[in-house]
């Protein structure tokens, strides 16, 4: 107990020293400011050219996959249902990082070599597809059966009723949970650094490796992720308000 | 206009319709009454193929579906377009305005231009007394108004037969009148109608024939006055005593 307390106070002392060194030593402060300034542009480049495109492409592909998987689950056709179930179970039951490693480092063994960026896109899309398919399935099932029947009664077929009547209503229900998936995806793209995609977090690692300012660089990267996610939650709020216009308040 | 022969419908082991034979002439209004569980709603849903009958046949206009064989999906949608359905719980599309609800079928199914469909939808909505509510969403309308949008939506597909499944049972009493008026107007224009309803006044004023169903069969049929005043069958008498 005593030793633990001693260790803690020692660590607090170290933090104090670090902060002191910043605020009492003008040279130290200047060095950090310089590094922060000069690394901001590379980090933003990593975000703009890799993190954000990776997120957007993976989410779009993943969402398509998710809708198809949800429809397969609800199709009433046994083989399709089973394939969908196995896919969702396998993706949800294994770590994302392991999946990325299998795609990028594993597949070359059997002659399939995929570049880092497409590997990441495949991994993230499969992941979003599995998680979001459950959201979409629940949302479709939450729409009353009478809506399908009303569509059929004016002569619609399954596809027309699905596209015009059911999915627009289901999308309203699924925006909050899908936004969760989307925001998780933004942060999960940092895992792509492990398969050599030079996205924002890998840039931060590379810069920190040259000047040893790990705390500064990783905090800087964290802040940029936060800003991106903050903007996304504002967008989510707007979409929700827009889709709520036909619901009584 | 409608000829139904030997229609049966089983849900698993439960036989809900046990051989229905029914003919409805063009321009006639038939009101179906009967206790809950008598199969009257199922009969209506079978005419619209929202339920697939187990056996028997239905003919509307010149097209016949024989349910002793499997009926291809394409034929079902074609057959369905001969009828318009009005639901007890309206089932309007909540994400579309009144006008868009009525336009949806013509634009998506019949591929009409939206200008054309919009003009027609406006006329239909005016006809049911909602000319000033075109751009309202369903949640902004009363139950009676929603049901009238439902009627206009079904009419927009220009059906040969209109089916009404207890169209006023979910409504507050003061809102029933407007819906019944819209239905009476339709009847007087010569629309062939099958109405599942316990609205005696509507049956007396607008029906050509009243059918009493119980436990999956038609017990008695006749002119409204005859059924309501001098029912022949004991079960009809009992039922009418209970609801009057």
């Amino acid at each position: 107990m005593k030793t633990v307390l001693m260790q803690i106070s020692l660590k607090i002392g170290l933090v104090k020293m670090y902060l002191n060194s910043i605020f009492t030593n003008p040279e130290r402060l200047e060095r950090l400011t310089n590094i922060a300034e000069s690394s901001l542009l590379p980090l933003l480049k990593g975000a703009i050219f890799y993190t954000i495109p990776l997120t957007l492409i993976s989410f779009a592909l993943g969402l398509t996959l998710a809708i198809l998987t949800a429809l397969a689950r609800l199709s009433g056709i046994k083989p399709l249902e089973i394939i969908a179930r196995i896919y969702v179970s396998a993706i949800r039951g294994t770590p994302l990082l392991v999946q990325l490693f299998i795609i990028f480092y594993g597949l070359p063994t059997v002659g399939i070599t995929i570049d880092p960026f497409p590997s990441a896109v495949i991994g993230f899309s499969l992941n979003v597809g599995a998680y979001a398919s459950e959201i979409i399935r629940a949302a479709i099932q939450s729409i009353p059966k009478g809506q399908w029947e009303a569509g059929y009664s004016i002569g619609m077929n399954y596809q027309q009723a699905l596209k015009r009547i059911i999915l627009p209503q289901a999308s309203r229900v699924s925006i909050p949970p899908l936004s969760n998936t989307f925001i998780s995806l933004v942060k999960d793209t940092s895992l792509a650094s492990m398969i050599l995609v030079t996205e924002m977090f890998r840039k931060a690692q590379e810069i920190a490796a040259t000047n040893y300012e790990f705390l500064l660089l990783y905090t800087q990267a964290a802040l940029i992720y936060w800003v991106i996610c903050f903007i996304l939650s504002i967008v989510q709020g707007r979409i929700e308000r827009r889709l709520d216009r036909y619901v009584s308040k | 206009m409608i000829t139904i022969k030997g229609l049966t419908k089983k849900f698993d082991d439960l036989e809900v319709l046990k051989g229905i034979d029914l003919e409805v002439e063009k321009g006639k209004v038939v009101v179906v009454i009967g206790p809950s569980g008598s199969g009257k709603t199922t009969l209506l849903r079978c005419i619209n193929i929202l339920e697939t009958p187990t056996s028997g046949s239905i003919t509307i206009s010149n097209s016949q579906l024989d349910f002793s064989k499997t009926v291809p999906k394409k034929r079902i949608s074609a057959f369905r377009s001969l009828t318009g359905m009005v639901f007890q719980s309206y089932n309007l599309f909540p994400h579309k305005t009144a006008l868009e609800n009525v336009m949806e079928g013509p634009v998506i199914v019949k591929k009409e231009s939206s200008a054309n469909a919009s003009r027609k939808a406006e006329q239909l909505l005016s006809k049911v007394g909602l000319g000033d509510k075109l751009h309202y969403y369903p949640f902004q309308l009363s139950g009676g108004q929603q049901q009238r949008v439902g009627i206009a939506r079904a009419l927009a597909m220009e059906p040969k037969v209109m089916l009404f499944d207890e169209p006023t049972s979910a409504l507050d009493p003061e809102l029933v009148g407007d819906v019944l008026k819209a239905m009476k107007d339709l009847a007087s224009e010569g629309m062939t109608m099958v109405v599942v309803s316990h609205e005696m006044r509507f049956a007396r004023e607008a029906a050509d024939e009243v059918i009493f169903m119980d436990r999956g069969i038609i017990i008695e049929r006749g002119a409204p006055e005859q059924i309501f005043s001098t029912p022949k069958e004991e079960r009809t008498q009992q039922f009418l005593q209970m609801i009057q």
Side-chain angles (χ1 to χ4, degrees), chain A residues 36-48 203 207 220 224:
Chain A
E37 264 180 34
S38 63
S39 58
L40 185 63
L41 193 63
L43 287 181
L44 285 179
K45 272 189 183 164
I48 290 165
K203 284 269 168 62
I207 300 168
Q220 222 178 342
I224 297 176

Side-chain angles (χ1 to χ4, degrees), chain A residues 145-158 160 164-166 168-169 244-249, chain B residues 45 48 50 77 80 83-85 87 91-96 104-105 108-109 111 137 139 153-154 157:
Chain A
K145 202 169 137 242
Q147 289 292 311
W148 285 100
E149 293 184 345
Y152 291 147
S153 79
I154 54 168
M156 288 183 170
N157 56 30
Y158 172 83
Q160 288 167 331
R164 303 283 310 177
I165 309 303
I166 304 302
Q169 295 182 60
D244 272 351
R245 72 190 184 284
Y246 62 81
V247 191
S248 61
K249 277 148 205 111
Chain B
R45 291 169 59 86
N48 198 242
L50 284 176
S77 13
R80 205 177 260 143
T83 58
M85 182 82 162
F87 298 89
N91 295 355
L92 294 187
F93 307 132
H95 57 307
K96 294 182 185 290
E104 187 69 10
I108 299 304
V109 180
K111 315 284 180 208
Y137 283 101
F139 82 88
R153 179 177 69 180
M157 294 305 286

Side-chain angles (χ1 to χ4, degrees), chain B residues 157-231:
Chain B
M157 294 305 286
E158 295 167 350
K160 298 209 182 293
V161 176
M162 281 286 281
L163 307 171
F164 294 83
D165 182 14
E166 309 205 23
T168 55
S169 353
L171 294 176
D172 289 334
E174 77 272 20
L175 303 174
V176 169
D178 287 334
V179 172
L180 290 183
K181 182 181 171 297
M183 289 168 63
K184 271 186 235 163
D185 289 348
L186 202 56
S188 63
E189 285 168 25
M191 175 61 84
T192 311
M193 293 162 58
V194 180
V195 183
V196 170
S197 172
H198 290 153
E199 292 291 340
M200 294 293 172
R201 248 189 40 221
F202 174 79
R204 280 179 198 276
E205 288 169 26
D208 297 291
E209 191 175 32
V210 172
I211 287 176
F212 175 67
M213 276 182 75
D214 193 17
R215 290 177 216 158
I217 51 173
I218 292 176
I219 304 286
E220 185 170 358
R221 53 192 295 181
E225 275 315 310
Q226 186 254 305
I227 296 282
F228 292 139
S229 320
T230 55

Side-chain angles (χ1 to χ4, degrees), chain B residues 16-142:
Chain B
V16 182
L17 297 178
K18 300 171 185 160
I20 301 286
D21 295 295
L22 179 65
E23 240 174 86
V24 183
E25 281 171 47
K26 189 170 194 287
K28 298 288 184 204
V29 176
V30 172
V31 170
V32 184
I33 59 172
S36 127
S38 60
K40 52 193 194 305
T41 290
T42 307
L43 172 64
L44 207 65
R45 291 169 59 86
C46 280
I47 300 176
N48 198 242
I49 331 284
L50 284 176
E51 305 289 354
T52 310
T54 310
S55 68
S57 72
I58 304 177
T59 313
I60 295 178
S61 202
N62 293 320
S63 42
Q64 185 183 43
L65 288 188
D66 182 355
F67 296 98
S68 52
K69 301 167 238 162
T70 350
V71 182
K73 270 195 188 148
K74 275 250 161 75
R75 286 212 56 201
I76 288 182
S77 13
F79 192 82
R80 205 177 260 143
S81 68
L82 299 169
T83 58
M85 182 82 162
V86 176
F87 298 89
Q88 181 177 3
S89 48
Y90 336 127
N91 295 355
L92 294 187
F93 307 132
H95 57 307
K96 294 182 185 290
T97 62
L99 189 75
E100 288 167 343
N101 262 277
V102 181
M103 286 169 64
E104 187 69 10
V107 171
I108 299 304
V109 180
K110 285 190 167 174
K111 315 284 180 208
E112 281 179 27
S113 73
S114 57
N116 212 356
S118 161
R119 201 155 24 82
K120 216 172 68 181
E122 227 179 294
Q123 283 169 6
L124 284 169
L125 284 167
S126 307
K127 204 177 108 177
V128 295
L130 295 173
D132 56 339
K133 304 278 190 225
L134 301 180
H135 303 294
Y136 283 54
Y137 283 101
F139 82 88
Q140 297 166 312
L141 300 171
S142 73

Side-chain angles (χ1 to χ4, degrees), chain A residues 227-242:
Chain A
V227 169
I228 295 175
C229 292
F230 183 72
I231 293 171
L232 283 176
S233 50
I234 293 174
V235 174
Q236 172 193 353
R238 293 215 170 164
I239 296 175
E240 277 179 32
R241 271 199 300 279
R242 207 183 125 66

